[in-house]
Amino acid sequence: MTPKVQFHGKDTRFLLITVMLVILTLAAIIVSAGMGYIAIGQSDILRVIGARLFSSNSLVANLDPSIPYVVMDVRLPRILTAALVGAGLALSGVIYQGILLNPLADPYTLGISSGAAFGASLALLANISMLGFFSTPLFAFTGAVATLLLVMRLSTFNGQISAQTLILSGVIVGAILSAGISFMKYIADEQVAVIIFWLMGSFASATWGGVVLVLLTVFAGLGVTLFFARDLNIMSLGRRSSDSLGVDTARVRRMLLLSASFVAAVCVAVTGIIGFIGLIVPHLMRYIVGPDNRKLIPASALAGAVLLLTADTITRAVLPVEVPIGVLTALIGGPFFCVIFRQKQKGKFYE
Amino acid sequence: MNNGLLFNVKDIFFSYDSAPVIKGIRLQLSRGKFYGIVGPNGCGKTTFLDLLTGSRTPQQGTIEFKGERLDSYPKKRLAKSLALVPQEYDTGFGFSVEDMVLMGRHPHIDRFASPGQEDWQKVDQSLELIGIDHLRKRPINSLSGGQKQRVVVARALAQNSEVLLFDEATSNLDIKYTLQIFNLARQLVDKEERTVIAVIHNLNLAAAYCDEICFINDGKIAACGPTASTLTESLIGSVFGVDSRISWDEYSNSHQISYRYKG
């Protein structure tokens, strides 16, 4: 019998999609860097970036001296943060959905974002800075992991996580934490503006330090996830199947949940709560590249970057007033969630 | 030392939280036989299979597989020897039939390697043996319950392991495919000296196909041994609480059990 190898060559298509997404991401970065109060041409942007990369000032010699400043210190940190946070949220969404076998799971619906926000608010309120720059992210991570454990504990019956109650638990815990955050806002005096603005989700205060932090986190998360991507595929068959197929389910599950929560927590710590990116992007990408996590993970990360960057550019440079990005993604993502929820209830998802 | 010894189960106990399920099982299973595990609902059959596959670890006692403790095996190495067809399974996010069956090759493929010639060969063979080659590109979620179950059996075949464990693997299948799978399993035992350990609800199927039959009742072995001598009317009465009569059936060439209905 000859093996039907000719059936198995889908990889060129995936390669093409990946290359397109990379180009799209880079294009979105360049284009959005030119948009804003001062319009800057694309060639000027490339020149400014080139001048910084190769430290040759001749490239920017005949430009307005404010342009390099606007691009490098105002726009690019924000643009790169938006892209990286989009990638990070989409990445953690893929992992949560894959492990919890629930198409509605993402850092926001599971209450992870609220947990991270609660931890971060606590750090902001108490003005904790013993660990310097990393205090807020660290508190956010602790809050995120504690919330994840609590939500999973609440929805576990007889050693099995019930998919139906998982989202419900996430929403309940999220609501309690939101009340806690509101209380903190109430008792905070001069810190209240900081907390409120940060909670709505904003990239306006992005710094290069934040970019580096999210960059390292997202790439570490991507590395861990891609390492376990095939195991994650098999874990979608349920624990007994994956155990018998040679996957150390308990360990991989722990590693991936911690990585996803870490990525989500750092994203929240840097930018506040941005909902639904982690929900929408994996769904869209699953339609395009299929359910295989080895393809879905990189594709989702890239698409998340493009989507959040586009949304942020719209609020920053297109809309007459700057709408908080978290509000915008919730306005787009909420209805999307309803559609998925309806389809899931009708039991015809992915058919 | 018996060379054919595969599993040596030494006085194992297992409980969920505080509810004991396996209450002291001692058992030896040998290579090249078709074992049937029968017993009433909730007696611990599925948990016992989970313990044999290493998916759960007994709280007391040990299980040895080919002379080494089961919990000392790396998962991948174990999966090359043991394949499970579970009773319940999730179907994930819409993998195709082909992808699902290829997952059976997971323990044989290195982490970042692609499936090779042999892997695809095994996938093709399993699909053809089960007769679902025409479904290979269909998403698994679009199949019927019976078709899904046959995909899971094909996956276990692709795993190419010397031991196959079936947990009610034919519960969703009509009689044609039930017999197909049992015949296939029987052939694997007879021709390739593989071992089949199957949880079976239908005692007549167990009587027809199994070399040895083990009755589990309330977390303990009620009886275990060659089918012909173990399967008795009084044992069925004491384990299941039903009246039955066992007689040799010419047509099926096996002992068959009839029950008193409407009793």
Side-chain angles (χ1 to χ4, degrees), chain B residues 12-14 19-25 38-45 215-222 238-240:
Chain B
I12 53 165
F13 289 79
F14 183 85
V21 182
I22 301 294
K23 306 169 183 173
I25 286 185
V38 300
N41 293 330
C43 70
K45 301 184 295 286
F215 278 75
I216 298 186
N217 194 16
D218 193 24
K220 297 189 194 107
I221 299 281
S238 71
V239 169
F240 289 97

Side-chain angles (χ1 to χ4, degrees), chain B residues 189-201:
Chain B
V189 174
D190 290 340
K191 293 193 181 148
E192 302 179 21
E193 248 217 316
R194 299 213 227 173
T195 310
V196 172
I197 303 168
V199 168
I200 304 170
H201 266 308

